[in-house]
Amino acid sequence: MANSFTRILSSKRNVGILSLVGAGSLTAGFLLKREHVTAGANVRRVYPASAEYPDLRKHNNCMASHLTPAIYAKLVDKATPNGYTLDEAIQTGVDNPGHPFIKTVGMVAGDEESYEVFADLLNPVIKERHNGYDPETMTHPTDLDSSKLTSGQFDERYVLSSRVRTGRSIRGLSLPPACTRAERREVERVVVDALAGLKGDLAGKYYSLTNMTEQEQQQLIDDHFLFDKPVSPLLTCSGMARDWPDARGIWHNNTKTFLIWINEEDHTRVISMEKGGNMKRVFDRFCAGLKEVERLIQEKGWEFMWNERLGYILTCPSNLGTGLRAGVHVKLPRLSKDPRFAKILDNLRLQKRGTGGVDTAAVGSTFDISNLDRLGQSEVQLVQTVVDGVNYLIECEKKLEKGQDIKVPPPNRKFRW
Amino acid sequence: MPFGNTHNALKMKFTSSEEYPDLSKHNNHMAKVLTPAIYERLRSKQTPSGFTLDDVIQTGVDNPGHPFIMTVGCVAGDEETYEVFKELLDPIIMDRHGGYKPTDKHKTDLNPANLKGGDDLDPNYVLSSRVRTGRSIRGFCLPPHCSRGERRAVEKMSVEALDSLSGDLKGKYYALKNMTDAEQQQLIDDHFLFDKPVSPLLLASGMARDWPDGRGIWHNDTKTFLVWVNEEDHLRVISMQKGGNMKEVFNRFCTGLKKIETLFKEKGTSFMWNEHLGYVLTCPSNLGTGLRAGVHVKIPNMSKHAKFEEVLKRLRLQKRGTGGVDTAAVGGTFDISNADRLGFSEVELVQMVVDGVKLLIEMEKKLEKGQSIDDLMPAQK
């Protein structure tokens, strides 16, 4: 009796069998054979790629824009050496169709090799997200020499605080969407060990989320340091919140100007921040701290994930390259009401956010202004862009205060590939 | 992740104690049973479809539980999960299902003629009657583990089977992703529409992946027989109507289920069932009959009585608010249903509800008249 089900089973094209040794034993690997699926009791039914291809018709994210049925069919049977698969990488984008106005990335990496094994999908996604940067032909410059930064002191009548953040991944361990509990605990151990070696104004203390006292928790909340289990389905659907709060924690130096998150969305997120407008000092500490942490992990035989095509490797393709967001909280009551504000920001390669971070609204015309770009320009270049841009915005604000007119700056073409 | 089973090989590079979850703050059935020794013995195993121990327990690791409510903390990804991981699941089943042993046999009885009475629950008190269960299609992975292709195949087979129902069971399927606004509003008004789960207990198991692909609702034209496709289980089957005629509800329930089962058999498959665990479903709490038979009943006096909980316990019944599990009762109207799922047949469980609700109504009437209910107190069933 041929019904649609048996038709699926007998389809000849693109069929693979996931053939595992019977229940109760470990498989050292699995065999993929291109032959008809049988409906035998011990074989998982495997459907042709066309039957597995996700329904992306209502989707608006970078993954959905580039995952054609052909690319899906080519990649669906592949896995990284750790066993991470395409379906896992795209799950967050399948589960979260996106917003008509905000285009999310819609996929993650489970390990460093994901960017190789799934390059046929990730490269076009990276190209779209990073303004035409082509990982196949271009190289990304890394430059953490903060001495090159100029004019990094803002007018503190306007700039309330300055901050630089990035992420780093420990080579050889899977990323948060895919890591096992043991790997996550290993990341924690490696990083906490290294941080314990920091000295001087970088010396600090680690607070593990599982072991925190109530008092410590309250202090971290008051300092605006504490991160909580993610609630955004964009993050939770990728699997990065599994086993919470096991092996998650926060480290900060005694002066509370250098902060590291462990095992949140990335292995580490590194943050340098201060009240006021001294972006130069913030960036100095950022670079010094990062380099010292790198030196300390290298002493123990570890290193950060990095390559010259993609720069620093992080979970989300949007954070490749520098992974850097340098920003300020700045008061721009007049400029923000000017109809040219959005265009000025865009031409300066800056973005605005509310002071609660991404997706929040501004409060009382105080904005979070930061760099738009992450990949294709170095850390020094991006922070300089922020410095030059914010200085320009303050000049505009001052002009408007005096009733003078402002000019929309020409578009910064450095970032158009 | 449930759908990345090849990953298990990577974990074997680490020792069992390096991988063992931190369950020190946990209070669920899984955490009570999963010792480091059991973890070590089971972590290298997989079911034939690749479901692993960590897949089974992820929801219980991610959801430590509530100090007062004991959740199960694990799920099955396929029928074989209950075999491969029996060392973990048998004690959980025993704890959850009143001492049900690995050697016990479960009796299935879907003959509605065996139900005594049940057609005369006082409609002044009983507002509505409902029986629900779940069914899994043999040969397909369960919602925590299924691929999109499998889920769609389950949907297709189920809809084909349901489309062949006739008479008072004739009905229509509404796929979640294709619903018109008008259809959606009607289903909401009928209280039929289910939405993407928000409970972290469910989400952490992976059963909400790819929503709403492959999900839908089927109901008959008279809106008394309803099937959910690919929510927490392959199928959830519900028979319901206003009033107190539980017998009619159960009749329709059994007839509909048997017809659907026959249709699946014609297509060369069947429901997951065995004589030890009865019907196999995603959550171990729903094994056996998977059956919850219940009424919405007005018992404002009885529910305030000091012995209310004791009476329910003896009758093997549980109370919920009229919004379902975890909701509070409104205006003295309660959802009263059987507490058990496994170790009793469908007929036995519905009988307990029918007899028990009848007694509760008698007690309510006595309390209305200011009389005592002491001589009505039941023995422990």
Side-chain angles (χ1 to χ4, degrees):
Chain A
M1 189 174 308
N3 59 21
S4 52
F5 176 59
T6 53
R7 275 201 295 280
I8 289 171
L9 285 185
S10 62
S11 158
K12 292 190 181 76
R13 294 180 192 274
N14 292 323
V15 164
I17 288 186
L18 201 72
S19 175
L20 299 171
V21 181
S25 64
L26 170 66
T27 51
F30 56 91
L31 303 170
L32 287 174
K33 290 187 220 164
R34 303 214 156 256
E35 61 184 71
H36 295 290
V37 176
T38 62
N42 277 358
V43 175
R44 177 170 195 175
R45 253 173 248 288
V46 175
Y47 295 86
S50 58
E52 295 286 2
Y53 182 72
D55 182 350
L56 301 172
R57 288 171 296 171
K58 294 195 178 106
H59 287 59
N60 183 44
N61 55 53
C62 295
M63 178 279 291
S65 296
H66 297 285
L67 183 65
T68 61
I71 292 181
Y72 184 77
K74 185 174 176 194
L75 298 179
V76 74
D77 289 339
K78 299 196 192 304
T80 67
N82 292 331
Y84 195 67
T85 64
L86 177 71
D87 279 333
E88 291 179 273
I90 66 172
Q91 190 67 58
T92 178
V94 175
D95 289 347
N96 298 289
H99 193 274
F101 307 137
I102 300 168
K103 196 162 192 187
T104 44
V105 176
M107 65 184 298
V108 292
D111 50 24
E112 189 166 6
E113 293 80 1
S114 296
Y115 286 101
E116 278 308 319
V117 174
F118 306 117
D120 285 333
L121 175 60
L122 276 161
N123 285 350
V125 165
I126 289 167
K127 211 168 171 183
E128 179 183 345
R129 179 61 177 218
H130 295 282
N131 302 300
Y133 182 88
D134 186 353
E136 286 183 74
T137 57
M138 295 173 179
T139 55
H140 168 81
T142 292
D143 186 357
L144 284 159
D145 180 359
S146 60
S147 70
K148 293 178 184 158
L149 191 72
T150 61
S151 316
Q153 172 69 58
F154 298 119
D155 187 333
E156 293 188 346
R157 289 172 296 173
Y158 298 88
V159 173
L160 304 175
S161 61
S162 309
R163 180 183 186 268
V164 182
R165 70 86 159 150
T166 189
R168 291 289 186 264
S169 309
I170 310 296
R171 176 162 281 160
L173 295 166
S174 302
L175 295 169
C179 65
T180 74
R181 277 183 294 273
E183 286 184 294
R184 197 186 297 113
R185 291 162 179 172
E186 184 76 342
V187 167
E188 184 188 36
R189 193 192 60 76
V190 168
V191 177
V192 171
D193 260 0
L195 294 171
L198 291 173
K199 299 185 179 15
D201 78 312
L202 291 177
K205 184 178 165 180
Y206 180 63
Y207 304 86
S208 130
L209 250 57
T210 39
N211 292 339
M212 213 173 272
T213 67
E214 299 239 331
Q215 210 180 338
E216 287 169 337
Q217 186 172 311
Q218 195 51 53
Q219 185 61 55
L220 288 165
I221 291 172
D222 295 340
D223 289 329
H224 305 287
F225 283 174
L226 187 63
F227 65 86
D228 213 348
K229 182 171 178 177
V231 294
S232 164
L234 296 171
L235 296 177
T236 54
C237 289
S238 74
M240 48 81 73
R242 286 168 301 129
D243 313 313
W244 202 275
D246 195 323
R248 274 83 169 191
I250 291 162
W251 181 98
H252 68 79
N253 66 350
N254 299 327
T255 44
K256 299 187 183 179
T257 53
F258 193 63
L259 165 68
I260 298 184
W261 291 356
I262 293 179
N263 286 318
E264 196 243 4
E265 181 186 333
D266 280 295
H267 283 173
T268 66
R269 283 289 179 94
V270 179
I271 302 151
S272 171
M273 59 207 249
E274 294 179 14
K275 292 253 183 264
N278 195 339
M279 182 60 93
K280 176 116 178 77
R281 192 164 61 203
V282 168
F283 191 46
D284 281 340
R285 184 183 311 108
F286 178 81
C287 294
L290 272 174
K291 285 189 220 145
E292 186 59 7
V293 172
E294 182 162 27
R295 188 188 70 75
L296 289 162
I297 66 166
Q298 281 170 343
E299 268 180 3
K300 302 274 170 78
W302 297 93
E303 53 183 9
F304 292 141
M305 290 185 196
W306 179 94
N307 67 57
E308 59 171 14
R309 292 183 313 113
L310 297 175
Y312 288 102
I313 302 294
L314 293 173
T315 300
C316 181
S318 70
N319 281 319
L320 290 166
T322 59
L324 184 139
R325 192 171 93 86
V328 298
H329 285 185
V330 57
K331 290 192 285 201
L332 302 168
R334 287 169 187 73
L335 181 59
S336 58
K337 293 189 192 66
D338 192 296
R340 295 165 286 184
F341 185 41
K343 185 80 181 134
I344 292 172
L345 287 175
D346 199 56
N347 285 0
L348 292 172
R349 300 303 300 164
L350 297 176
Q351 71 175 188
K352 74 178 199 296
R353 300 181 179 189
T355 51
V358 66
D359 302 328
T360 64
V363 170
S365 65
T366 301
F367 288 83
D368 175 317
I369 302 290
S370 64
N371 52 295
L372 265 173
D373 304 296
R374 306 267 182 273
L375 172 66
Q377 293 285 305
S378 74
E379 289 82 355
V380 166
Q381 288 169 321
L382 290 176
V383 179
Q384 192 66 61
T385 298
V386 173
V387 163
D388 296 343
V390 169
N391 278 331
Y392 191 88
L393 294 174
I394 293 171
E395 285 313 304
C396 287
E397 183 69 23
K398 286 175 175 171
K399 284 207 160 108
L400 291 172
E401 279 170 20
K402 296 187 204 128
Q404 295 168 358
D405 196 23
I406 59 172
K407 274 202 180 63
V408 174
N412 182 336
R413 294 231 172 266
K414 276 189 285 182
F415 299 90
R416 304 286 183 213
W417 302 106
Chain B
M1 292 298 280
F3 40 93
N5 54 74
T6 49
H7 209 65
N8 212 44
L10 171 66
K11 287 178 200 158
M12 299 310 295
K13 291 200 291 195
F14 296 92
T15 67
S16 184
S17 60
E18 283 169 335
E19 288 288 357
Y20 182 73
D22 180 352
L23 302 172
S24 50
K25 297 197 176 96
H26 286 58
N27 183 45
N28 56 50
H29 285 290
M30 180 279 291
K32 280 174 73 176
V33 172
L34 184 67
T35 59
I38 293 180
Y39 187 79
E40 176 145 28
R41 281 195 291 275
L42 294 180
R43 74 180 190 120
S44 59
K45 296 187 192 301
Q46 304 188 47
T47 67
S49 78
F51 203 62
T52 65
L53 176 66
D54 279 333
D55 294 333
V56 172
I57 67 173
Q58 190 67 57
T59 177
V61 175
D62 288 348
N63 298 289
H66 193 275
F68 307 137
I69 301 170
M70 180 74 101
T71 46
V72 175
C74 58
V75 292
D78 53 24
E79 191 165 11
E80 294 82 0
T81 300
Y82 289 101
E83 227 1 85
V84 174
F85 300 109
K86 65 196 306 355
E87 191 180 352
L88 171 67
L89 291 169
D90 280 350
I92 290 175
I93 289 168
M94 193 167 343
D95 209 3
R96 179 64 175 213
H97 293 283
Y100 193 79
K101 298 191 291 298
T103 48
D104 284 339
K105 300 265 181 278
H106 171 82
K107 187 167 144 230
T108 291
D109 181 1
L110 282 160
N111 184 353
N114 291 338
L115 182 70
K116 299 187 193 40
D119 53 354
D120 59 352
L121 295 175
D122 190 334
N124 292 315
Y125 294 84
V126 176
L127 303 174
S128 59
S129 308
R130 180 184 187 266
V131 182
R132 70 87 160 152
T133 188
R135 291 289 186 266
S136 309
I137 320 287
R138 179 159 278 166
F140 292 84
C141 292
L142 296 170
H145 190 42
C146 64
S147 71
R148 281 180 293 272
E150 285 180 296
R151 194 186 300 111
R152 290 162 178 170
V154 166
E155 181 190 35
K156 204 170 175 76
M157 287 190 89
S158 304
V159 172
E160 275 173 9
L162 294 166
D163 277 348
S164 7
L165 291 174
S166 56
D168 78 314
L169 291 178
K170 183 170 174 324
K172 185 176 166 179
Y173 182 67
Y174 303 86
L176 251 57
K177 64 179 181 175
N178 290 340
M179 218 172 268
T180 67
D181 278 0
E183 287 170 339
Q184 184 171 310
Q185 195 51 53
Q186 186 61 55
L187 288 166
I188 291 172
D189 295 340
D190 291 327
H191 304 288
F192 283 173
L193 186 64
F194 64 87
D195 212 348
K196 180 171 180 179
V198 294
S199 163
L201 296 171
L202 297 177
L203 296 176
S205 74
M207 49 81 71
R209 287 168 299 128
D210 315 313
W211 201 277
D213 196 323
R215 276 85 170 188
I217 292 163
W218 180 98
H219 68 77
N220 67 350
D221 296 333
T222 46
K223 299 186 184 180
T224 53
F225 193 68
L226 166 67
V227 179
W228 291 355
V229 179
N230 285 318
E231 198 240 8
E232 181 185 331
D233 282 294
H234 285 167
L235 302 172
R236 282 288 178 96
V237 179
I238 301 151
S239 170
M240 60 207 250
Q241 63 195 53
K242 293 245 182 268
N245 195 340
M246 183 60 94
K247 193 166 186 46
E248 196 170 74
V249 169
F250 189 52
N251 273 4
R252 187 184 312 111
F253 177 80
C254 296
T255 306
L257 271 174
K258 282 191 228 140
K259 288 221 162 102
I260 296 170
E261 182 158 28
T262 306
L263 292 163
F264 275 108
K265 287 201 166 120
E266 282 172 8
K267 290 180 190 295
T269 184
S270 53
F271 294 143
M272 291 183 196
W273 179 94
N274 64 62
E275 61 173 9
H276 166 51
L277 294 177
Y279 289 103
V280 174
L281 294 174
T282 300
C283 181
S285 70
N286 281 322
L287 290 166
T289 60
L291 185 139
R292 193 171 90 85
V295 298
H296 284 185
V297 60
K298 289 194 284 200
I299 41 171
N301 295 295
M302 188 59 210
S303 59
K304 292 195 200 72
H305 196 281
K307 295 228 172 77
F308 183 42
E309 300 286 347
E310 178 63 21
V311 168
L312 289 177
K313 181 166 163 296
R314 292 189 189 186
L315 294 173
R316 306 193 73 87
L317 299 176
Q318 72 175 189
K319 76 179 195 301
R320 300 180 180 190
T322 53
V325 67
D326 302 327
T327 65
V330 172
T333 302
F334 283 79
D335 176 319
I336 301 291
S337 64
N338 52 294
D340 302 292
R341 304 274 182 270
L342 174 66
F344 299 90
S345 75
E346 289 81 354
V347 166
E348 284 168 344
L349 291 176
V350 179
Q351 194 71 65
M352 276 185 227
V353 173
V354 160
D355 297 346
V357 169
K358 241 183 155 163
L359 180 63
L360 286 170
I361 293 173
E362 267 191 73
M363 289 175 155
E364 179 69 17
K365 287 175 174 170
K366 282 238 157 146
L367 291 173
E368 279 172 14
K369 298 192 204 117
Q371 294 168 356
S372 153
I373 55 166
D374 288 344
D375 56 344
L376 289 177
M377 286 296 288
Q380 176 68 55
K381 281 190 173 294

